[in-house]
Amino acid sequence: MSARRLADRDGTLAWLFLMPSVVYILALVALPFLLAIGYALSDVTAGDPSYDWVGLRNFQRVFEDPVFWRSLGNTFVFTLISMALIVVLGKVLANILVADFRGKWVVRFLVLLPWTTPVALSSIAWLWMLDSIFSPIDWVLRQLGLIEGNMYWLGEPGLAMASVIAVHVWRLTPLAAVIMVAGLVAIPRDLDEAARVDGAGYWRRMFEVTIPLVLPVAAVAALFGAIFTFTDMAVVDVLTNGGPNNATQVLTSWAFFRGIDGGDVGQGAAIALFLFPLLLAAAIAILRAVRKLEVR
């Protein structure tokens, strides 16, 4: 009888079902966030873990650090270009994933492979492919007559940033494609067939039917891309370690280098906290755009 009574109490059941998620968020999100705030207001270092209150001194030191401002600028460049490419290429791959042709399962496997491969392993593979001496990419370009000598993909500031963005886009595009596949599959076939009957060609159907209906899902893919891009440092760490001359340094990598490698936990936490308002603003803007698109 007690179990049956419990099943009839919707409010209690709702809290019971939500409890695992609440515990997860508190343990893995809220607690580390509060610890980061506490560390940012202290002088805790790797050599001296004793807690002494210093107020906003760490934030003042961060504002006076030129590498921080360069990392902030690189973060925006890295995120905006990556998001644009991820959304566009994700839409292209989504069309391939929903198409019906022979060998589509092999194509789907190859498309999803970058996302399923561990990021450290795939980044090491790209580190070899972008090597200044043994790069197979350079060999192909030489055979095509596009270059004469080797390219310093990870040794020149512009090429290094382009390489990091390319690897990051290669890794996250399959995730965006899978999200957009859900949007493409949800489009009623009647709309596409009606457009065909009215004489609309492929491109007209694409821009007047498919893309407007997929835009809310594309915005969600952009939100996930922004979150993963803002908080990613694995590709930068493996490929360039922030170099050359901090040309590819982003906020996450600089926070790690200052707080973990450099041992200044307080300043590393202060740098990492700048990610929160940036992510919050991006999430609010994208979610508002999604709501407006759904209303339309």
Side-chain angles (χ1 to χ4, degrees), residues 248-261:
T248 59
Q249 199 77 262
V250 291
L251 284 181
T252 49
S253 61
W254 185 235
F256 178 83
F257 295 148
R258 291 294 296 171
I260 305 301
D261 286 352

Side-chain angles (χ1 to χ4, degrees), residues 2-290:
S2 59
R4 183 174 299 178
R5 290 178 181 177
L6 180 63
D8 293 335
R9 301 177 64 179
D10 295 339
T12 304
L13 282 177
W15 277 109
L16 288 176
F17 288 139
L18 286 174
M19 191 58 64
S21 300
V22 173
V23 172
Y24 173 84
I25 293 174
L26 291 176
L28 299 182
V29 178
L31 182 59
F33 180 70
L34 294 176
L35 286 175
I37 295 176
Y39 286 144
L41 300 174
S42 71
D43 62 351
V44 174
T45 62
D48 184 13
S50 60
Y51 189 94
D52 296 314
W53 176 272
V54 297
L56 301 177
R57 186 184 307 170
N58 286 320
F59 293 94
Q60 181 181 357
R61 292 170 57 195
V62 166
F63 286 135
E64 295 172 352
D65 185 3
V67 180
F68 166 78
W69 294 108
R70 185 165 191 180
S71 301
L72 182 62
N74 289 341
T75 300
F76 280 109
V77 172
F78 181 55
T79 301
L80 294 176
I81 296 178
S82 297
M83 282 178 57
L85 293 175
I86 287 170
V87 171
V88 173
L89 296 177
K91 177 64 173 64
V92 175
L93 287 180
N95 289 337
I96 296 175
L97 291 175
V98 299
D100 189 12
F101 57 91
R102 293 186 61 182
K104 63 181 180 180
W105 298 109
V106 177
V107 175
R108 289 178 179 179
F109 169 76
L110 294 177
V111 167
L112 295 175
L113 189 61
W115 174 248
T116 58
T117 304
V119 57
L121 180 61
S122 59
S123 298
I124 291 175
W126 277 103
L127 184 64
W128 169 73
M129 294 180 66
L130 297 172
D131 187 82
S132 59
I133 299 177
F134 305 106
S135 172
I137 298 176
D138 287 350
W139 182 85
V140 172
L141 293 177
R142 283 197 303 270
Q143 297 301 313
L144 295 175
L146 299 178
I147 61 174
E148 295 181 358
N150 288 346
M151 300 286 291
Y152 296 96
W153 297 103
L154 304 177
E156 297 182 6
L159 287 176
M161 178 58 77
S163 300
V164 170
I165 291 174
V167 174
H168 185 73
V169 170
W170 170 82
R171 189 172 70 89
L172 286 186
T173 297
L175 175 63
V178 171
I179 295 174
M180 291 189 189
V181 164
L184 290 174
V185 173
I187 296 177
R189 298 181 64 88
D190 296 343
L191 294 177
D192 187 71
E193 292 175 358
R196 289 175 183 268
V197 172
D198 292 339
Y202 174 80
W203 292 110
R204 187 176 178 182
R205 296 198 311 273
M206 175 66 68
F207 285 99
E208 294 186 7
V209 177
T210 305
I211 291 181
L213 293 176
V214 175
L215 276 178
V217 181
V220 174
L223 175 59
F224 278 99
I227 293 173
F228 283 117
T229 303
F230 262 115
T231 58
D232 182 79
M233 62 158 285
V235 174
V236 173
D237 188 28
V238 175
L239 292 184
T240 63
N241 203 29
N245 194 26
N246 295 313
T248 59
Q249 199 77 262
V250 291
L251 284 181
T252 49
S253 61
W254 185 235
F256 178 83
F257 295 148
R258 291 294 296 171
I260 305 301
D261 286 352
D264 195 338
V265 179
Q267 191 171 160
I271 296 172
L273 284 177
F274 278 94
L275 292 170
F276 176 73
L278 296 178
L279 278 174
L280 183 62
I284 292 174
I286 293 174
L287 291 176
R288 284 185 175 179
V290 170

